[in-house]
Each structure stands twice: as C-alpha cells, then as structure tokens.
Amino acid sequence: MKQDAAIIGRAASGVSANEVEMKARRGMLPEERPEASREVYLRIENLTKKFGDFTALRDVSLDIYDGEFVCFLGPSGCGKTTLLRAIAGLDVQTSGRIEQAGRDISSLPASERDFGIVFQSYALFPNLKVKKNVAYGLENKGLGRQEIRARVAELLELVGLPDQGDKYPAQLSGGQQQRVALARALATSPGLLLLDEPLSALDAKVRAYLRHEIKALQAKLDVTTIMVTHDQEEALTMADRIVVMNHGVIEQVGTPEEIYRHPASPFVGDFIGSMNFLKGRVAGDGRVQIVNHTLETTNMPATVAPGTEVLVCIRPEDIVARNVDGRESNVMDATVHEMEFLGSFYRARLLPGGHASDAIQADFSINLVKDLGVREGGSLRVWLPADRLIVFQER
Amino acid sequence: MTDAVITQRGLPAAAVTQRLSRDDWIMRAFVVLVGVWMFVVVLLPLYFMMSKSVQDPDGNFVGLANFREYFATPALSYSIHNSLYIAVISTIITVSLAFVYAYALTRSAMRAKGVFRVIALFPLLAPSLLPAISFVYLFGKQGVITWLLMGNSIYGPIGIVMGEVFYTFPHAMMILIVALATADARIYEAAISLGASKPRIFFTVTLPAIKYGLVSAVFVVFTLVITDFGIPKVIGGQFNVLAVDIYKQVIGQQNFEMGAVVSVVLLIPAVIAFVADRIVQRRQVALITSSSVPYQPKPSALFDRAMFAYCALIAFMILGILGMAVFASFVTFWPYNMSLSLNNYNFDVMDGGGWEAYWNSLRMAGYTALFGTIIIFTGAYMVEKVKGFRLARNVIQFLCMLPMAVPGMVLGLAYIFFFNHPDNPLGVIYGTMTILVIVTIAHFYTVSHLTAMTALKQMDPEFESVSASLKVPVLKTFLKVTVPVCLPAILDISIYLFVNAMTTVSAVIFLYAPETTLASIAALNMDDAGDVAPAAAMCTMIVLACAIVRVLHAAASHGLERTTQAWRKR
C-alpha cells in the first residue's frame, strides 16, 4: 500500500499547478500565516545533492522564518536528513545556495556556520560528566570559569536536569541523555537548532513527554528550529510548519492542519494519516463518477476536463454514518465486509458496489457501532461530505 | 513547475565546493604526513631492495641474472624446499594442538581455564630463540632427555619444528579462541533437538562456524614460521632455510645482491599467504547477530577431565621449555658444575654487548611503544576521520596493511639498501637508535593500526560533527574525547609494540651498531660464540622485562576501568 502510494505520489507530483498549490509547495502563503510578520531566517535555493549517480535532493527551495519550528517529514531515503546535513555543512550540497540571517553560507565549513545540533544517537562524550558535556562549547569561547559554571547550571535547569551535572552520560536514562544533548547544543546560543530524529531512540511514553518539552523550550527561547523525523505524529504535534519530502523533492509545505486537510498530492495524503483512494472519472462541474455512484465535491481542480480519470480521496474518519437519512447527494449504501477493533474505534471495510476491490475504509466510534448496530455482513448507509472529497488528476 | 522556481529566483545551478576549515587543513596535513611516513619507512626501502636484486655489485642493471644464479646453485635454492617443508609441518602441528587447547578453553566446563589461558600466552614474552636454546639443553648432545629422540639430532628440522610450534602456539590459540567463543547456543539446541549425534554436530555446526578462524590461524602460523630467523639460526645446524640464508649472504659473505634475491624469494610466500588470508576474511559474514545466545558449555565429567589432562600436558611443556632456559641460565657450568650462581648474568665480561645491550633494548622498546603508539593511533584517527581526500586515504590504508606481508629480515635488509645509500640524506640515522625504533614501528605497524581502527570505528561518528558545531578545534576533541575513550586500545597497542620490540631479532639484526646492540641480538651472538648459558640468561632477562610490563599493563588497565573509565559502568 505504502509502496503503491509512493509511486502514485511521484506520478502525481507534476500535476495541477494552480497558484495556491505552487505557493504552498514553496512554503510561501504569507497572507495566511502569522509568520508573515517575521523575516526569512534561512533561505534555501535550488539545492541539489548527488551521491554518485543517485540524486538525494533535487532542486529543493524553501524559506524558513525567524523563530519557526519546522519539521522535515518523509519516509526513509526521502532526503530529509541529507537536507539537514547540507544546512549544517556536514555534507555539502552539489549545487544550490543557502542563506542564513542574510549571510551566504553555501560553501562555509560546518565550524564556521551558526547552529547547534542534536543527533539521534545524542553523540554525548561518554568520558565527560554531564556538566562538562554542556560546557564543551563554552570553554572554547574564552569565558571565565564562573561564567561557564553559571551558564551550565542555567542550561541544566532549563532542560529539567538541575542536579545531574556530576553524572556520566551512561548513568542517565535515554530521555535524560537526550535533554543533555539539547542543553549542549543550546549552550552557545546558536541562531539555528537542528534536531536529527532526536526522539526515535526513545520509548513511546518518554517520546510523548519530550515532544511537549522540546516544543515548549523552543517557543520559550524563540530559536529557529528544524527537526527531521519520519514520525507523522511528532511532526503534527510539534511543528509550526511541516515540509513533506519524498524522493528528494518537497511534496508540500504547510501548517499541520493544511497538510492534513489539504494534501497537495496523493503521497502526502497517504503518508500522513489514512486515506481512501478511489478511481473515478470527472462527470461534469464538481461531480465525479466512482463505480456506480456520482459524487459531488467542492475540491475539483480547475484544470480537469470532463471524462478525465481522477483519484478521489477521503479520510476514513470523514465518512459519516449518523443522520444520513434525508440527505440526497453523496450517499451510498454499503455492505460491512470486515470490522477491525483498534481500541478507541473500529475501522470498517465497506463495500458500496459489492466487490472487494472497491472497498472503502471508514472509522466508526464504539458508540456509533453500538447505536447503529453496525456488524460484519450487515448493511449501512453512509454519507461522503462534498467538502471532504479531494480529487487528484491521474496521469 | 521546478523550472518556474529557478527562473523566479533567477539563479543558475552552480556546483558548490565547500571551503576547507582550519580543522580540514590540519587533518589533511596529518594525512599527508602519515602518507609520507609510510612511503619512507616501508615502500621506498622495499623498492630499493627489489631493485638491488636485479643489479650487479656496481649497481648496473643485470635483469634476472642474479635469480638465474640463485636457482643454479642448489645449496641456495634447496632452502625454498626446506622452508616450505618446515612451515607446512609446523603449521599442521601448531594449529591442531592449538585447536584442541582452544576448544577445551571455550567448549568444556573444565577447571583452571584462566590459568591455562595465561600459561599458553607465555611464549609471546620470549624471543623466538629461547625455545631453541631450551631444546639444546633438553635434547642436545649433553641434554637432559636426549634419549627421547631415539638417536635423532635436535640440530635440524626436528628442533626447528619443535621451536616453531612453541613460538607460534599462542598466536594460533588466540585466533581460534575468538572463533570458537562466538557461538550461538540456539543452533546447538536446534541440532540436539533434531537428534544429531555429537560427531555430526561437530562436523556440521562447529567446524563450519569456525572455518574462517581456522584458515586465518593457518596463514598466520605459516607466515610466522617461514619468516622466522631466531629458531633456525640457533638450532638449524646444517639445515638451511630462507631467512637464515639472507643473513648468511649479507653478514657472512657480504653478497648484498644475493641477499636481495633471497629476500624477494621469501617475500613471495609471505605475500601469497597474506593476500589469501585477506580474501578469505573478506568473505566472512557475521555469524553472530544481536539476538544470538552465547553458548554455555555443560559439565561432562569424562570430557572435562580429558580436556583438563590435555591442557595440563601442553601447559606443562610450555612451562618446561621456558623453565629449562631459566634454570640453565643459573647453572654455573653445564653439565660439569651444576651449582646455581649468577655467573651467566655477568654479561659485561662476555662478547655480545653486555648489560649495555639490555638497557638499549629497554630504551628501544620504550621509545617504540611511546612514539609508535602516538604515530599509529594519530595516523589511524586522521585517516579515518578526514573529510574527502579519498585517494590518499585508500593509498595509506594499503600501505598500513603492507608491513604484515613483509618478513622482518626483508625489511631490515631493505633498510640497509635505502638508508645506507650514499645519496640518501636520511642516512644520518643509519647506525643509531632512531633507525632501530623506526624499523620496529614499521615492522609491527599493521596489527597496531588495525587495533586502532577497530577502536575508532566503535566511536560515535558524530563526535566530530558536534565539536564542529560547537566551534571546538578537532585536535582538542581528539585529545579530550577520542584518546580517553580509546585508552584501552591505546594501551594494547603500546604493550604489543613494547613486547615485540623487546623480543624481535629479524629486522634489527642488520641495523644495529656496536653501541646500539640489543638484548635479543646479544643473546643470538653469545649463542653463536658458544656461550649458550649466557644467551639463556639474556633471554630470561627479556622475558622478565616483558612479564613485568605485562603485569603493569594489567594493573593499569584494571585501575583505568575503576577510575577514568568509570563512565563505562552504569
């Protein structure tokens, strides 16, 4: 499924280039965003990175605003870490330009750029105590011993480890080590904070807690932050804006809501959250034909002509089963083929046409299942709201 | 659409070259230094040696004339047969004995494993001529147990093979222990549950799992034996082998060209064994995964007792051979005056170099350990961590592996040709302590380099990225983080270099001057002059120094673990 969606995503990425969408991909929708008042802090222009014959980044352009928290999200191998390492100067791009705070840093070595970095492995120096790790970058700046001590104490306080300074990294838990790495990266007050999958090595509970902590810390310090992650939940909860990447290109840039509600490509829709993909054909103004139903949609791309083959998409949780009677359009009767219990809800496979190949997934709450008596083999009338149906042109 | 992006910003895609930072320049400078160093101490001397083999005494090119002469002289070329014969027999015996010994240490539940393991490593502390001297006392004309040979002479192939087995046993055993220790218990449980018999399990599970270790042990022992000089020199009698031929041609007959020819001939099997071993090792895939369950031997009264008896016998022989030399060194005048005294330790009244040679050896070993460790570890770090510079790195990696394939005698002779060349400005170090230290570092470079590489590869590759982001110079991170974290490996390298510098004879025999005689060479020369007991005494002193340093090393490692390496524990 993932594989197929990725192929569809690539095929569709050259489609329907209307103005808004194009701006969305470049991350420039100034009138809709509070960051509009902010200045561009990091400007990435036409970045390409090749490893031999393999192109890891293909002509990527992106603006990141001052004080913003941006997530690079995508499957492994999509180029997100490559982009982060190019920004840091750790693996320089093949071509393209990077500007930070108005300064062209494209060809600067990492040691002459202004950033702090936290790796997935934390890369804490194992032979140095926590306080020495945090002080590592400070000791080189010609600060007095007293100043360094005060700054280290302040940083450890900030990350919630005020009395762990005399321990060695190995004596701390994974989450604590992660926070020490964060304190070390922030010690020299860098203008840019880079986080490379910082939470991947932790277990679920710690991860959820630290997600919140890091976000709060970032907001407090107002430091421009880029985080690389493959975890959509992390990106949705932490980011001001998400940059969705695939196969070395940016698929979409937008706020978490925009990305989720208005995916710019089938790939984005499939990668973030769950999505039904139905093959259809444009039947006229705002209408599509799927199997034996005609559906209305408010999201028809302007450029498609009637008769064009399209993909009609809807999220499982957007399918409505309550109060459907009385509605005239976008209603279909379906057989409940299978029901999967997922804890807080059921995921049902509905067969509107009777064929397993046309199955639609719908998420129903436990209450709904009880109230409507939904059961495997039973029949059910559902409504597919017109504003929730997204249409992509098929290539 | 991407086109639109480009035109909007109006910037053509120009290739970006990253500017080198100060750290990059420093690291590249170090890499170049390492390259120059390896070039001068390994490659150039070898080139000079090889070119000498196709020249006449006046330096004119004569093609393969020297080689034709060599193969037309049976007295010389028959040594090839002798060397291969000795190497094959010794390899078969050593690897067989060491395999059972290692098997007992890893796969039985016998007692005293730790003691047996330590005893088996004792031969590493002695120069290779020590077992030969012992055998003279045990099996020589007035030997203690000469009757055991049933009329055969110890001077010749029998003595050489026995000496080589003693000398190479710990090398084979260590490789086999590593191979046998990494066993996955689950495979054995599966075999047992499928009803396989014990012999079938041994041939279908145990042997296939250790075949690479076994092959490696074979090549290592073969190379050590065919390149060894000390044992055949002392106990070989009229039985000529290649390594001794080089010595005879160069020191005895001053025929440097023929010495070079024999060196080239000796280089061939050594290089073949080295290349074959590399190819085999590359094919080895990790048999142990993170989910492996370590094999725990179960007690079995009969098997454990048999293994204990076997190990006890081997350990007794090792201690016996070592003890014989030590004992003989205290006997006033064998076999006429068996009273014990320190007369044989009165080195200063004998030829060979006196106590001065012993102090020279300690100094030489100390310098080798100190400078060798610094050069090798720093070099390995720079080669591993430098950014870009791929060609230089690959060339240096190859040069670092090369010394493993070069026999000590060949390297020593190559140094004569290179450093004693009238036009070489580096000739000033000829005949000094410096050249002895350099040749010893070069001779034992490969194993030390690999130890350093292994330790460096276990470090987080992002340490350098972090320190760059914090604007800390790479040299500071190297000293404050890399060196402390790698201290156990660094100590291992230094002890390896020290012990080998104390015991080596081969490379340095061509390069010492009267005032820089070494203990191992003094022992050889005293033995040559018929002073066998003083030679045994000098060997005993070498063993003593190595043993003391070993104990200090163990204590230091232990102390380190408790103090500076506290971070290793949770």
Side-chain angles (χ1 to χ4, degrees):
Chain A
M1 182 64 201
K2 268 272 140 70
Q3 202 74 23
D4 292 344
I7 293 162
I8 293 169
R10 183 149 64 163
S13 66
V15 193
S16 67
N18 65 48
E19 279 271 284
V20 177
E21 192 194 357
M22 210 192 86
K23 278 187 181 168
R25 287 189 187 203
R26 297 208 48 216
M28 302 201 322
L29 279 173
E31 63 281 355
E32 293 169 26
R33 233 179 291 286
E35 298 89 46
S37 55
R38 301 223 186 213
E39 303 208 341
V40 172
Y41 179 74
L42 193 72
R43 172 160 289 179
I44 295 159
E45 288 174 347
N46 311 115
L47 218 62
T48 295
K49 173 73 180 177
K50 289 181 179 166
F51 294 104
D53 289 337
F54 175 69
T55 305
L57 287 178
R58 197 187 300 272
D59 202 23
V60 168
S61 296
L62 178 71
D63 286 344
I64 292 171
Y65 299 97
D66 197 17
E68 217 183 357
F69 194 120
V70 170
C71 275
F72 294 172
L73 177 66
S76 56
C78 72
K80 56 190 191 296
T81 298
T82 310
L83 182 54
L84 188 88
R85 293 181 72 87
I87 293 169
L90 296 172
D91 287 311
V92 78
Q93 69 275 17
T94 310
S95 65
R97 202 177 121 90
I98 304 175
E99 205 176 88
Q100 182 179 1
R103 185 169 71 128
D104 183 357
I105 60 164
S106 311
S107 61
L108 289 186
S111 56
E112 291 171 32
R113 300 188 186 195
D114 177 22
F115 69 97
I117 190 161
V118 176
F119 291 100
Q120 185 179 349
S121 64
Y122 318 136
L124 291 176
F125 303 128
N127 60 319
L128 301 180
K129 287 179 176 171
V130 165
K131 60 182 182 191
K132 283 283 177 190
N133 262 285
V134 176
Y136 201 75
L138 299 170
E139 285 169 352
N140 220 48
K141 295 187 101 183
L143 298 176
R145 196 173 285 185
Q146 209 57 44
E147 269 174 290
I148 292 177
R149 197 179 302 162
R151 176 79 177 133
V152 169
E154 180 193 348
L155 284 156
L156 286 177
E157 184 78 44
L158 193 67
V159 297
L161 298 170
D163 32 273
Q164 307 290 330
D166 281 315
K167 288 189 177 167
Y168 287 102
Q171 295 168 311
L172 302 181
S173 70
Q176 287 173 322
Q177 291 184 33
Q178 206 279 338
R179 283 187 275 170
V180 175
L182 196 60
R184 182 178 64 181
L186 290 169
T188 50
S189 308
L192 181 62
L193 180 62
L194 304 177
L195 309 170
D196 186 6
E197 305 247 7
L199 303 174
S200 308
L202 301 169
D203 34 303
K205 282 250 163 89
V206 185
R207 198 153 55 192
Y209 170 70
L210 276 177
R211 229 153 52 190
H212 177 75
E213 288 286 292
I214 292 175
K215 177 65 189 154
L217 187 62
Q218 188 270 338
K220 184 174 166 191
L221 299 176
D222 202 27
V223 56
T224 312
T225 303
I226 301 173
M227 182 170 92
V228 161
T229 181
H230 63 268
D231 182 338
Q232 44 159 315
E233 211 176 305
E234 237 166 74
L236 290 171
T237 52
M238 296 173 79
D240 295 325
R241 282 194 304 153
I242 296 174
V243 177
V244 185
M245 298 182 67
N246 192 31
H247 294 296
V249 298
I250 293 179
E251 292 271 340
Q252 188 175 4
V253 181
T255 64
E257 293 80 11
E258 282 169 356
I259 299 270
Y260 193 83
R261 281 287 155 225
H262 306 289
S265 66
F267 169 79
V268 176
D270 189 50
F271 188 73
I272 295 152
S274 302
M275 184 71 89
N276 287 299
F277 290 94
L278 309 166
K279 282 181 191 265
R281 194 179 287 274
V282 177
D285 222 15
R287 284 180 303 135
V288 264
Q289 175 82 31
I290 58 157
V291 204
N292 42 12
H293 293 88
T294 303
L295 300 175
E296 288 177 5
T297 172
T298 58
N299 298 311
M300 184 69 79
T303 52
V304 289
T308 315
E309 298 216 331
V310 289
L311 273 179
V312 181
C313 310
I314 185 163
R315 296 204 181 273
E317 72 268 23
D318 287 338
I319 294 175
V320 179
R322 275 191 211 271
N323 308 323
V324 175
D325 290 336
R327 292 191 188 275
E328 291 183 357
S329 60
N330 286 18
V331 174
M332 48 173 76
D333 290 306
T335 317
V336 180
H337 182 58
E338 273 173 357
M339 286 179 61
E340 195 181 359
F341 179 57
L342 291 171
S344 53
F345 64 93
Y346 283 93
R347 178 155 294 174
R349 280 166 67 80
L350 308 176
L351 300 183
H355 299 291
S357 59
D358 307 322
I360 300 174
Q361 294 188 339
D363 291 351
F364 296 141
S365 73
I366 292 165
N367 282 334
L368 183 144
V369 168
K370 198 162 57 179
D371 295 349
L372 299 186
V374 181
R375 55 178 178 80
E376 282 185 6
S379 61
L380 187 69
R381 175 167 289 188
V382 291
W383 175 49
L384 281 52
D387 62 332
R388 298 292 196 224
L389 283 172
I390 307 161
V391 178
F392 294 108
Q393 187 172 352
E394 265 202 289
R395 263 275 159 93
Chain B
M1 186 174 62
T2 43
D3 290 345
V5 173
I6 291 176
T7 47
Q8 204 171 351
R9 287 268 155 88
L11 286 165
V16 172
T17 320
Q18 191 165 28
R19 237 182 52 211
L20 294 177
S21 66
R22 236 184 99 227
D23 283 345
D24 291 329
W25 283 113
I26 291 170
M27 293 183 84
R28 286 182 178 209
F30 269 104
V31 169
V32 169
L33 270 179
V34 174
V36 170
W37 155 264
M38 292 310 290
F39 201 72
V40 170
V41 303
V42 180
L43 208 58
L44 276 180
L46 283 180
Y47 169 77
F48 271 69
M49 190 273 293
M50 291 199 186
S51 55
K52 200 77 178 173
S53 71
V54 289
Q55 289 173 358
D56 65 14
D58 300 325
N60 303 311
F61 180 75
V62 292
L64 294 176
N66 295 330
F67 286 87
R68 268 195 294 277
E69 187 191 338
Y70 175 80
F71 285 103
T73 317
L76 283 173
S77 55
Y78 200 71
S79 295
I80 298 174
H81 168 266
N82 283 353
S83 276
L84 289 175
Y85 173 75
I86 292 290
V88 169
I89 304 261
S90 305
T91 304
I92 293 170
I93 296 175
T94 305
V95 174
S96 308
L97 291 178
F99 176 78
V100 180
Y101 201 89
Y103 193 83
L105 287 180
T106 50
R107 301 293 175 90
S108 84
M110 68 175 184
R111 286 186 297 163
K113 282 185 190 172
V115 176
F116 284 137
R117 196 179 170 131
V118 169
I119 291 174
L121 294 176
F122 279 176
L124 290 177
L125 307 178
S128 67
L129 57 148
L130 180 137
I133 290 171
S134 273
F135 290 141
V136 170
Y137 282 103
L138 287 167
F139 303 106
K141 293 189 180 69
Q142 290 147 338
V144 187
I145 45 173
T146 309
W147 52 270
L148 264 177
L149 290 179
M150 293 178 294
N152 293 304
S153 169
I154 191 70
Y155 296 97
I158 295 177
I160 299 176
V161 168
M162 283 166 61
E164 299 294 357
V165 170
F166 174 87
Y167 162 58
T168 57
F169 185 82
H171 295 272
M173 185 201 70
M174 284 193 296
I175 295 170
L176 292 170
I177 279 185
V178 171
L180 281 162
T182 48
D184 190 344
R186 296 170 309 167
I187 298 174
Y188 284 88
E189 282 161 8
I192 292 166
S193 70
L194 291 168
S197 65
K198 280 197 170 170
R200 179 139 183 251
I201 292 176
F202 180 81
F203 285 106
T204 57
V205 178
T206 308
L207 270 189
I210 64 150
K211 68 177 174 222
Y212 293 109
L214 214 49
V215 168
S216 194
V218 165
F219 284 127
V220 165
V221 171
F222 179 88
T223 310
L224 281 171
V225 174
I226 206 163
T227 59
D228 181 50
F229 166 72
I231 292 167
K233 175 78 179 73
V234 171
I235 210 164
Q238 300 304 309
F239 191 85
N240 289 329
V241 296
L242 291 169
V244 178
D245 281 350
I246 299 176
Y247 180 75
K248 284 183 179 165
Q249 289 298 324
V250 173
I251 302 294
Q253 311 192 3
Q254 298 285 308
N255 188 345
F256 289 96
E257 291 69 33
M258 198 46 77
V261 169
V262 184
S263 292
V264 173
V265 171
L266 179 57
L267 203 50
I268 293 166
V271 169
I272 290 174
F274 168 75
V275 172
D277 186 38
R278 283 283 116 194
I279 292 171
V280 170
Q281 295 311 316
R282 200 167 295 171
R283 286 177 51 183
Q284 176 159 29
V285 286
L287 294 167
I288 290 288
T289 58
S290 54
S291 62
S292 291
V293 181
Y295 180 84
Q296 291 288 347
K298 291 179 188 64
S300 153
L302 188 65
F303 177 69
D304 291 346
R305 246 175 251 161
M307 286 291 120
F308 184 88
Y310 173 83
C311 290
L313 183 66
I314 298 273
F316 173 77
M317 290 200 279
I318 291 171
L319 290 176
I321 293 166
L322 204 60
M324 186 67 240
V326 175
F327 176 72
S329 74
F330 291 113
V331 171
T332 311
F333 191 55
W334 190 284
Y336 309 106
N337 180 357
M338 295 296 281
S339 65
L340 301 184
S341 74
L342 287 174
N343 286 3
N344 295 320
Y345 286 81
N346 208 352
F347 299 132
D348 286 340
V349 301
M350 286 167 245
D351 289 337
W355 276 100
E356 184 66 25
Y358 188 66
W359 306 129
N360 278 344
S361 257
L362 286 178
R363 266 172 57 214
M364 199 277 269
Y367 290 148
T368 301
L370 178 66
F371 295 113
T373 307
I374 292 173
I375 292 170
I376 292 165
F377 189 80
T378 313
Y381 176 82
M382 297 300 169
V383 172
E384 171 71 14
K385 300 289 182 187
V386 73
K387 284 184 97 177
F389 233 37
R390 195 161 304 157
L391 180 69
R393 288 173 63 177
N394 289 344
V395 170
I396 292 171
Q397 287 288 14
F398 170 76
L399 288 178
C400 290
M401 296 309 295
L402 196 57
M404 182 93 114
V406 180
M409 298 298 288
V410 176
L411 193 64
L413 185 58
Y415 269 46
I416 298 186
F417 294 143
F418 179 62
F419 286 99
N420 202 27
H421 195 282
D423 298 333
N424 188 346
L426 293 171
V428 291
I429 66 166
Y430 194 75
T432 65
M433 179 63 97
T434 310
I435 198 171
L436 296 178
V437 172
I438 289 176
V439 78
T440 309
I441 294 173
H443 187 185
F444 299 105
Y445 204 95
T446 306
V447 171
S448 313
H449 177 76
L450 290 176
T451 307
M453 276 299 187
T454 307
L456 287 168
K457 282 190 194 295
Q458 284 168 352
M459 303 242 312
D460 193 316
E462 305 297 4
F463 282 166
E464 282 71 28
S465 306
V466 167
S467 81
S469 83
L470 295 172
K471 321 268 181 287
V472 177
V474 71
L475 283 182
K476 188 177 169 191
T477 302
F478 173 68
L479 292 174
K480 280 195 74 172
V481 178
T482 312
V483 169
V485 170
C486 293
L487 210 49
I490 291 172
L491 277 178
D492 284 349
I493 294 171
S494 61
I495 191 81
Y496 170 84
L497 288 174
F498 185 92
V499 168
N500 276 300
M502 279 305 289
T503 58
T504 188
V505 184
S506 56
V508 290
I509 191 122
F510 293 130
L511 300 170
Y512 73 92
E515 61 276 13
T516 57
T517 307
L518 302 172
S520 52
I521 293 168
L524 196 82
N525 288 341
M526 288 191 280
D527 174 80
D528 230 10
D531 292 332
V532 185
M538 191 60 100
C539 286
T540 302
M541 289 308 298
I542 293 173
V543 173
L544 184 68
C546 291
I548 288 172
V549 172
R550 270 273 170 209
V551 170
L552 288 178
H553 172 250
S557 301
H558 186 70
L560 259 180
E561 246 163 60
R562 293 226 321 248
T563 55
T564 64
Q565 306 276 306
W567 49 269
R568 283 194 196 278
K569 287 195 285 281
R570 275 193 173 263

